[in-house]
């Protein structure tokens, strides 16, 4: 006689009042198979799905003109966006190359309380491609890094 342990995790346990698991087992020696259903009560408040979901980063582009053309490097470039996490946020940082443009001060964030942080900064772009990078960490320790590129024309080049 052998025992099998089956562990299941639900992605959205709050949707179900009870979980019904249908199982089919077959004995390899005899070929005999059995199917049975097992109903388990769901206490969603106390359940943890175990899924670690990274924070969501979304950035806004300032106007359609910036989407179609390069940006002049002599104009301050507004960087706007947001970071969201259902688990709460520990930190959010914005970099232009290696320069940090925005960061949440650790003392102002209470763990798991902030679920959304708005990003608002101004970047001084260098001529050519510029990499903007957002790094965020959820209160459960899941980190994410997203990069965005903006191309700047030399000063005085202006928009066409």
């Amino acid at each position: 006689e052998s025992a099998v342990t089956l562990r299941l995790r639900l992605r959205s346990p709050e949707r179900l009042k009870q979980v019904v698991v249908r199982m089919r087992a077959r004995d390899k020696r005899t070929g005999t198979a059995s199917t049975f259903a097992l109903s388990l009560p769901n206490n969603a408040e106390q359940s943890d799905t175990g899924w670690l979901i990274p924070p969501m980063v979304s950035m806004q582009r300032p106007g359609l003109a910036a989407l179609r053309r390069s940006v002049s490097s002599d104009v301050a470039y507004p960087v706007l966006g947001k970071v969201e996490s259902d688990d709460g946020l520990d930190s959010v940082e914005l970099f232009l190359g290696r320069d940090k443009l925005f960061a949440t001060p650790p003392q102002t964030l209470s763990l798991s309380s902030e679920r959304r942080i708005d990003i608002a900064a101004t970047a001084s772009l260098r001529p050519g491609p510029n990499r903007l990078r957002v790094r965020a960490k959820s209160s459960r320790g899941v980190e994410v890094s997203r990069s965005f590129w903006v191309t700047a024309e030399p000063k005085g080049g202006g928009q066409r």
Side-chain angles (χ1 to χ4, degrees), residues 77-155:
Y77 184 77
V79 181
L80 304 170
K82 65 182 176 184
V83 178
E84 297 176 288
S85 174
D86 288 341
D87 294 328
L89 293 162
D90 262 1
S91 63
V92 175
E93 298 171 311
L94 170 68
F95 297 89
L96 172 61
R98 293 183 179 185
D99 300 330
K100 190 182 291 187
L101 300 179
F102 175 90
T104 53
Q107 57 272 36
T108 62
L109 279 179
S110 58
L111 289 177
S112 301
S113 65
E114 296 291 330
R115 295 182 185 273
R116 174 185 166 150
I117 293 176
D118 293 318
I119 298 171
T122 303
S124 297
L125 302 177
R126 295 176 185 91
N130 291 266
R131 178 180 174 208
L132 292 165
R133 183 171 52 98
V134 177
R135 185 169 59 193
K137 183 177 180 182
S138 76
S139 62
R140 291 182 73 184
V142 181
E143 288 190 37
V144 66
S145 181
R146 296 284 186 261
S147 294
F148 305 89
W149 292 88
V150 178
T151 302
E153 294 179 353
K155 289 185 179 187

Side-chain angles (χ1 to χ4, degrees), residues 34-93:
S34 299
T35 302
F36 59 95
L38 179 62
S39 295
L40 304 170
N42 181 16
N43 188 354
E45 292 81 31
Q46 294 179 357
S47 66
D48 180 4
T49 62
W51 295 99
L52 297 176
I53 300 171
M56 297 292 293
V57 177
S58 57
M59 301 301 288
Q60 298 175 3
R61 291 184 173 95
L64 275 173
L67 292 175
R68 292 192 188 121
R69 302 182 191 133
S70 297
V71 178
S72 175
S73 63
D74 58 353
V75 176
Y77 184 77
V79 181
L80 304 170
K82 65 182 176 184
V83 178
E84 297 176 288
S85 174
D86 288 341
D87 294 328
L89 293 162
D90 262 1
S91 63
V92 175
E93 298 171 311

